[in-house]
Amino acid sequence: DAGITQSPRHKVTETGTPVTLRCHQTENHRYMYWYRQDPGHGLRLIHYSYGVKDTDKGEVSDGYSVSRSKTEDFLLTLESATSSQTSVYFCAISESSGRFSTDTQYFGPGTRLTVL
Amino acid sequence: KNQVEQSPQSLIILEGKNCTLQCNYTVSPFSNLRWYKQDTGRGPVSLTIMTFSENTKSNGRYTATLDADTKQSSLHITASQLSDSASYICVVYSSASKIIFGSGTRLSIRP
């Protein structure tokens, strides 16, 4: 998985509790992404980062916040988890945005989150 | 609206047979198209990346085609193996900084 780890790999939590997922990379890639994957949907972008302290929203950012204080770490926080946030969360990294280049986006192993 | 549609949703074939997966997109402006393989319980892994000017690209037994005029792509798998059982995801990058994922085709290879 190209030097990407996610923690925890599995988590069960209750509605209303805060949850933080961590993505750690050893590739020194500039871009980092958080996606969620649900049955019947493609991967959907939650937030992404284009550098330390530089982040932007994706298409499904409501209810999520992110932080990136170091190149290697990208945190996803659910401030108050809801059952609709039960999903598999993937972190990804890339050297550039992929908009004009063809560099590869590498994905982590995923975190399965269940909100009861 | 930017969309990527894949067909079929699922496919079962016998080991050793060939198959073709389809991807139609309406993303504009187009930058590049990628196919990913996702094994159960794992993150997606890139198979091919194609830009506007490329119409065929191979990676071992996987061959992707792109018709930018009709906005269609296909992924052909030759001489399938049990390890090809996975979901295959078509992803289109827009030069307007959008990444649009298809919902995938789930392929099962039977011995």
Side-chain angles (χ1 to χ4, degrees):
Chain A
D1 292 315
I4 309 170
T5 56
Q6 293 184 230
S7 58
R9 293 294 313 279
H10 301 272
K11 186 170 182 66
V12 179
T13 191
E14 294 187 348
T15 298
T17 59
V19 176
T20 296
L21 308 184
R22 179 178 183 245
C23 176
H24 178 78
Q25 61 148 328
T26 58
E27 306 297 323
N28 202 35
H29 282 1
R30 180 181 173 192
Y31 284 78
M32 298 186 76
Y33 309 80
W34 276 109
Y35 293 94
R36 61 178 290 174
Q37 187 175 42
D38 304 291
H41 292 275
L43 283 150
R44 292 181 289 176
L45 182 65
I46 304 171
H47 282 280
Y48 69 99
S49 168
Y50 47 97
V52 174
K53 295 189 180 1
D54 293 323
T55 65
D56 206 349
K57 295 179 180 180
E59 61 180 298
V60 291
S61 59
D62 287 347
Y64 301 95
S65 62
V66 291
S67 65
R68 191 171 178 196
S69 59
K70 297 185 290 185
T71 298
E72 57 268 32
D73 290 325
F74 193 31
L75 304 180
L76 176 71
T77 297
L78 289 65
E79 303 289 349
S80 177
T82 68
S83 58
S84 65
Q85 293 177 311
T86 292
S87 186
V88 180
Y89 291 85
F90 287 99
C91 173
I93 65 173
S94 63
E95 289 187 280
S96 71
S97 70
R99 198 162 48 122
F100 296 115
S101 76
T102 56
D103 72 296
T104 298
Q105 193 173 51
Y106 298 95
F107 286 82
T111 294
R112 183 172 295 276
L113 176 67
T114 302
V115 183
L116 301 175
Chain B
K1 181 181 177 182
N2 289 322
Q3 282 188 315
V4 175
E5 295 186 353
Q6 294 187 242
S7 62
Q9 281 190 319
S10 62
L11 181 63
I12 302 173
I13 64 171
L14 292 176
E15 185 180 10
K17 299 296 187 182
N18 304 335
C19 66
T20 300
L21 314 180
Q22 300 289 344
C23 173
N24 296 338
Y25 62 93
T26 57
V27 177
S28 182
F30 174 87
S31 175
N32 57 80
L33 184 146
R34 304 160 188 234
W35 284 93
Y36 284 85
K37 178 186 179 188
Q38 185 176 20
D39 293 316
T40 301
R42 305 286 298 272
V45 174
S46 180
L47 292 175
T48 63
I49 302 174
M50 288 189 292
T51 61
F52 185 88
S53 58
E54 298 173 299
N55 54 27
T56 302
K57 184 166 281 190
S58 292
N59 178 357
R61 294 179 297 100
Y62 300 101
T63 299
T65 65
L66 174 64
D67 185 333
D69 291 331
T70 61
K71 299 187 177 181
Q72 296 180 324
S73 177
S74 65
L75 180 69
H76 185 75
I77 304 174
T78 302
S80 61
Q81 301 176 358
L82 297 178
S83 59
D84 292 330
S85 292
S87 288
Y88 292 84
I89 302 171
C90 175
V91 187
V92 179
Y93 279 60
S94 162
S95 49
S97 299
K98 298 290 186 183
I99 307 172
I100 300 94
F101 288 78
S103 56
T105 292
R106 182 176 296 278
L107 176 64
S108 297
I109 311 297
R110 296 285 185 252

